Amino acid sequence: MKIHVLAVGQRLPDWAEAACADYLKRFPATQRVVVQTVKAEPRTDTRGAEACMAAEAERLRAALPKSAHVVALDERGQRCTTEQLAQRWQRWQHLGADVALLIGGPDGLHPALREQAHERLRLSDLTLPHALARVLLLEQLYRAWSIVHGHPYHRA
């Protein structure tokens, strides 16, 4: 299973790039986790949020690996503890497909894309800056992996 994090956005600040790179390099070679950024649609006075989210959704769909299990990250998604994320990780491993986690742009994910996802998950009840959400997701994915594999990173 390969994990794909597909995120709408621009270049991350240096601190977030460094943090993401740090978590990505912690995964062993046998567990591939990749991050791909798709271009955010420019917000203008003449283009509403709906049109921007629709354009971003098309870019996300184009970047999705074929037959991937899609998890939409959304404020209306299911709450999940770290241990529950580790249980999901184990379920994902048994699917026999890649997993794609989608992070929307400034207005979130287009409702149609969100509804088409196999799962909807929330990272936090708090509103997070985009860069921090990406770092948090990668850290929690690494922590879930460490729980599943008995690695000492996660200490209960």
Side-chain angles (χ1 to χ4, degrees):
M1 166 185 76
K2 184 176 180 181
I3 302 280
H4 301 262
V5 175
L6 304 177
V8 174
Q10 310 299 335
R11 185 184 182 291
L12 293 178
D14 291 342
W15 65 266
E17 284 286 352
C20 288
D22 179 58
Y23 286 113
L24 287 171
K25 75 179 180 188
R26 292 178 188 214
F27 286 99
T30 56
Q31 180 55 68
R32 299 248 349 245
V33 178
V34 296
V35 176
Q36 181 179 349
T37 302
V38 300
K39 182 179 174 258
E41 189 68 14
R43 270 52 181 176
T44 65
D45 293 339
T46 58
R47 289 198 62 157
E50 176 73 23
C52 292
M53 287 188 299
E56 292 163 354
E58 287 309 310
R59 291 183 188 116
L60 285 168
R61 283 187 188 99
L64 279 172
K66 194 172 195 152
S67 303
H69 181 79
V70 179
V71 180
L73 297 176
D74 183 72
E75 66 185 352
R76 292 165 292 276
Q78 187 176 28
R79 286 186 177 101
C80 182
T81 67
T82 300
E83 288 77 12
Q84 290 168 333
L85 182 60
Q87 291 169 358
R88 282 175 190 257
W89 184 285
Q90 288 178 307
R91 284 198 310 271
W92 295 340
Q93 285 181 310
H94 295 320
L95 292 175
D98 287 352
V99 175
L101 294 117
L102 308 181
I103 301 174
D107 300 301
L109 292 169
H110 189 273
L113 182 59
R114 188 175 58 236
E115 291 304 315
Q116 291 168 351
H118 299 103
E119 298 179 53
R120 282 164 295 288
L121 188 62
R122 95 174 36 201
L123 281 179
S124 173
D125 288 340
L126 303 172
T127 301
L128 302 172
H130 189 84
L132 188 56
R134 199 179 307 188
V135 172
L136 177 63
L137 175 61
L138 290 174
E139 191 281 334
Q140 286 297 295
L141 288 172
Y142 180 70
R143 189 174 294 273
W145 174 88
S146 73
I147 291 169
V148 169
H149 291 88
H151 187 277
Y153 178 78
H154 179 75
R155 293 172 182 89

